[in-house]
Amino acid sequence: REALAARQRGSQAGTVAYLFGGCVDVGGQRAVAEHVAADAQRDQQRHAVLQQGAQGARQARDLDLGDQRTGELALFGDPNQGRPAIGYNDAKVDRQGRYWVGTLDAGEKLPRGIFYCARSAGDWRIGDSGFVVSNGPTFSPKGDRLYFSDSMGGRILAYALDPATGKLGEAEEFHRFAPEDGFPDGLTVDSDGQIWCALYGGGKVVRFGADGKLQEELALPVPNVTSCCLGGRDLRTLYVTTGHTADKPAQDLGGALFAREVVTPGLPEP
């Protein structure tokens, strides 16, 4: 694993692929490593577009669409309407093609974050509000349930979702984490409706059944775990993103992309 991490760290623009848990054989490691390296090469080509988009989001606090072929950005919308000290955070498209995005309080103290839904540019509505940091929306296989990370609240919320209208039901607490678990961050759902959750500051990803019972914990050698998704050729590769530790960025693998094979595949995402 260390050799694979070192090889990837020295190759594509600093991207690291790390097979945690030792659950795949050498051939599987090579296949996943090559897949991640190929993705990294494509990401390198898009790097300028992503940097420009990130800079625009920081400065203008709006949402832009980036054309990967030309590098051009076009304004998609700003449901926040320019409110100061508010930033956009995690977002995802549901099974019917609606775009869900949450905001956060820049100081990460006040419950000013709003969770929005859009059918198209300019067609925005509020799904829920009152969050310090909005994170990790994901959707059940049938698209009738939405899961959301209230990061500073230390909990995952679940909502009934009307697939036809996009209307949300009342929030239900799906799971509340202990302080030592870290903060719930990015989420993804597999084809059985199980929910994977990245835990920022907790150094792990966890998997819950649709009933909310904890099924599995996977530890990583880095504390700040930011998000996860299921991909690869058969959607059985769990990819996990991480961030640097602010006071010792050169002493851990923060910023690495980790990967592991899992039993239950994911779902094609819109």
Side-chain angles (χ1 to χ4, degrees), residues 93-117:
V93 176
D94 70 17
R95 311 278 174 223
Q96 288 69 41
R98 292 175 291 254
Y99 179 67
W100 297 81
V101 58
T103 60
L104 54 78
D105 173 52
E108 297 187 354
K109 294 180 179 180
L110 302 175
R112 304 172 65 215
I114 296 175
F115 188 42
Y116 296 100
C117 175

Side-chain angles (χ1 to χ4, degrees), residues 5 23 25 32 44 46 66 73 96-97 105 107 114 116 122 133 145 151 157 169 171 189 196 220 240 247-248 262 270:
C23 65
D25 60 19
V32 173
Q44 190 175 26
R46 298 194 293 259
L73 294 177
Q96 288 69 41
D105 173 52
I114 296 175
Y116 296 100
V133 176
R145 197 161 173 82
S151 294
L157 300 176
V189 166
W196 287 95
L220 287 91
V240 182
D247 59 347
K248 49 180 180 180
V262 295

Side-chain angles (χ1 to χ4, degrees), residues 11 34 64 92 109 127 145 148 162 176 190 214 258 262:
S11 59
E34 291 172 354
D64 294 340
K92 197 165 288 181
K109 294 180 179 180
R145 197 161 173 82
F148 173 89
D162 186 326
R176 179 174 289 274
D190 67 21
L214 181 65
F258 295 80
V262 295

Side-chain angles (χ1 to χ4, degrees), residues 46-127:
R46 298 194 293 259
H47 186 63
V49 177
L50 295 176
Q51 277 193 321
Q52 185 181 2
Q55 184 179 13
R58 286 193 298 270
Q59 292 177 351
R61 301 294 182 185
D62 57 25
L63 297 166
D64 294 340
L65 288 173
D67 189 320
Q68 296 181 5
R69 296 168 299 176
T70 66
E72 294 179 356
L73 294 177
L75 178 66
F76 180 68
D78 180 22
N80 182 55
Q81 296 296 300
R83 285 193 303 154
I86 295 289
Y88 290 103
N89 203 36
D90 221 344
K92 197 165 288 181
V93 176
D94 70 17
R95 311 278 174 223
Q96 288 69 41
R98 292 175 291 254
Y99 179 67
W100 297 81
V101 58
T103 60
L104 54 78
D105 173 52
E108 297 187 354
K109 294 180 179 180
L110 302 175
R112 304 172 65 215
I114 296 175
F115 188 42
Y116 296 100
C117 175
R119 288 182 177 273
S120 61
D123 181 15
W124 298 92
R125 65 174 178 271
I126 293 175

Side-chain angles (χ1 to χ4, degrees), residues 177-185 197-206 217-226:
F177 293 92
E180 58 269 22
D181 287 328
F183 300 95
D185 207 323
C197 175
L199 286 165
Y200 189 89
K204 59 187 175 182
V205 288
V206 294
E217 291 189 4
L218 300 175
L220 287 91
V222 58
N224 295 333
V225 184
T226 55

